[in-house]
Amino acid sequence: MIVRASRRAEIGQWVFLLVIVALGVLLASMLADNLARRNLRFGFEFLGARAGFDIPFHLISWTIYDTYARALLVSLLNTLLVAAMSVVAATLLGLLVGIMRLSVNWLVRSIALVFVEFVRNTPQLVQIIFWYVAILQSLPPPRQSIVLPGGILLNVRGLGLPDLVLREANGALAAWLAAAVLLATPLVWRLRVRAWRVGPWALVLPVLAACLLAAGVERIEYPRLTGFNVTGGTQIPPELVALWAGLTIYATAFIAEIVRGSIEAVPAGQHEAARALGLHQGQRTFLVVLPQAVRIMVPQLNSQYLNIIKSTTLGAAVAYPEIFQIFAGTVMNQSGKEVEIIIIVMAVFLSINLVFSAYMNWYNARVALVQK
């Protein structure tokens, strides 16, 4: 009986797979017929054509003579930039607000509750537009820029930050080495060598990365007012700031609830044991409770991080040049390759999310509680 049921289940799986394949073939045939009726041909050769438009914000070089393929790369890097910034900021703020939700202070706990309920119950797109229109567009013009500490200028055209000018000889190499050393630091800390995880030895690699970066920097270029505009330094456009703020604050409210629930899921005996050892509130939270709560919150955080990555497409509402705004907007209108472009955009987001999810699943497997 068990063997017969197993065979029936296997046959059912094969039938389901054949139905899916047949449905895919049917949809492909319908697509080919529709394109033929419109005298269109399916293909991706348009990626080699000249773009002919400008992208105002780009992390790598871009000119109007570059191809659509490079426009895809430029807009993809812009998407990854705002996604990475939002993931880091939302994690830190979510941790803070989540701990505030459990505070014994009524005022602190109430402020965190009001923030979470207000942000979670208002549309994310509305929040992004609010930051762009009500906050950033009300800033003064460049000639009346707000001067912040460190030579930072803030005005309606964005945020002017000091820029590190690398040496022509080996400056870029030193910067890449510094980044590699900094990325390798957490991996070294996880080694079973206790001397590298605690004490002053833990600062060796970060200090080495700072020294490598300083050796490759020729000078620091500060933004300055020249005529009616700000020149020098690095100009962060308001569209990036608005999208980053909107994504970060919205995700913070959900991550805060994840943190609160995970902390409350830690057994009460752990709190009592830490209290019996004489640890104060901060030590109990960061040395005993949070390390155990992380094991509970990782799967839920993964879903929030994937939502942040997908929500970067809302940057089209404030004209931030991310992949949906540039490739599924401008490039689609110019090339007329709607199907191909949508397939490319879907494949890009699918690849990013699968890679990120695989990393989070690997990390979750390493920190997950093991039942014996």
Side-chain angles (χ1 to χ4, degrees):
M1 294 296 294
I2 297 177
V3 175
R4 187 177 302 173
S6 176
R7 288 180 179 177
R8 284 200 301 266
E10 185 177 351
I11 293 174
Q13 293 175 8
W14 280 105
V15 171
F16 179 75
L17 179 60
L18 291 176
V19 170
I20 295 298
V21 172
L23 181 60
V25 172
L26 177 62
L27 292 177
S29 176
M30 294 173 58
L31 173 62
D33 293 340
N34 291 333
L35 291 177
R37 283 197 297 267
R38 298 171 59 186
N39 295 322
L40 298 176
R41 186 168 61 88
F42 183 86
F44 298 94
E45 67 281 352
F46 73 98
L47 292 173
R50 185 171 71 90
F53 60 87
D54 189 27
I55 299 179
F57 177 75
H58 43 83
L59 298 177
I60 59 177
S61 62
W62 169 261
T63 66
I64 62 174
Y65 303 102
D66 288 323
T67 62
Y68 287 139
R70 190 165 182 84
L72 174 62
L73 177 60
V74 171
S75 57
L76 172 60
L77 292 178
N78 289 345
T79 296
L80 294 177
L81 173 65
V82 70
M85 292 170 56
S86 301
V87 165
V88 173
T91 301
L92 297 177
L93 290 177
L95 178 62
L96 174 63
V97 177
I99 294 176
M100 291 172 60
R101 289 275 283 115
L102 300 173
S103 174
V104 296
N105 187 295
W106 176 85
L107 180 59
V108 173
R109 187 173 63 251
S110 299
I111 291 175
L113 175 61
V114 170
F115 169 81
V116 169
E117 294 301 326
F118 176 79
V119 172
R120 288 200 308 172
N121 292 285
T122 53
Q124 186 175 16
L125 181 59
V126 173
Q127 295 181 31
I128 295 174
I129 295 177
F130 169 80
W131 279 98
Y132 184 68
V133 176
I135 304 298
L136 297 177
Q137 292 301 310
S138 62
L139 292 173
R143 290 182 64 86
Q144 285 80 41
S145 297
I146 301 174
V147 181
L148 301 176
I152 300 175
L153 298 181
L154 179 63
N155 54 62
V156 70
R157 296 185 182 178
L159 187 67
L161 302 175
D163 188 18
L164 300 179
V165 180
L166 301 178
R167 300 180 187 275
E168 294 184 3
N170 300 326
L173 177 60
W176 281 109
L177 288 176
V181 171
L182 198 60
L183 290 175
T185 300
L187 300 178
V188 175
W189 284 349
R190 291 191 64 86
L191 294 177
R192 298 303 181 184
V193 182
R194 181 175 178 83
W196 282 91
R197 289 185 291 166
V198 296
W201 286 104
L203 301 177
V204 170
L205 291 182
V207 171
L208 177 60
C211 293
L212 287 172
L213 180 60
V217 173
E218 180 179 354
R219 69 181 188 277
I220 300 178
E221 187 178 79
Y222 292 92
R224 61 186 183 277
L225 182 62
T226 304
F228 294 94
N229 201 359
V230 175
T231 59
T234 300
Q235 192 74 13
I236 305 299
E239 294 80 12
L240 172 58
V241 178
L243 180 59
W244 173 58
L247 294 178
T248 298
I249 293 177
Y250 190 77
T252 295
F254 291 89
I255 293 178
E257 289 299 283
I258 293 174
V259 171
R260 179 189 62 80
S262 300
I263 291 177
E264 290 183 335
V266 175
Q270 298 295 318
H271 298 264
E272 296 173 358
R275 192 178 296 108
L277 291 174
L279 302 179
H280 58 70
Q281 180 64 39
Q283 291 174 326
R284 293 198 301 269
T285 300
F286 291 100
L287 298 180
V288 178
V289 178
L290 273 182
Q292 299 181 67
V294 167
R295 300 176 175 184
I296 304 173
M297 68 177 72
V298 168
Q300 304 170 73
L301 288 178
N302 186 24
S303 298
Q304 290 303 319
Y305 293 156
L306 297 183
N307 287 336
I308 290 176
I309 295 173
K310 291 180 289 186
S311 297
T312 56
T313 54
L314 296 175
V318 292
Y320 176 69
E322 40 79 34
I323 188 171
F324 191 81
Q325 161 74 11
I326 295 298
F327 210 72
T330 306
V331 175
M332 180 186 291
N333 293 332
Q334 289 189 359
S335 64
K337 295 287 188 177
E338 296 88 354
V339 177
E340 294 89 336
I341 288 176
I342 293 301
I343 291 176
I344 291 175
V345 173
M346 292 176 62
V348 167
F349 276 103
L350 179 63
S351 302
I352 295 173
N353 287 341
L354 286 179
V355 170
F356 192 88
S357 181
Y359 168 76
M360 292 296 294
N361 290 336
W362 169 82
Y363 180 75
N364 181 54
R366 288 185 62 89
V367 302
L369 292 172
V370 179
Q371 300 292 337
K372 295 183 180 181

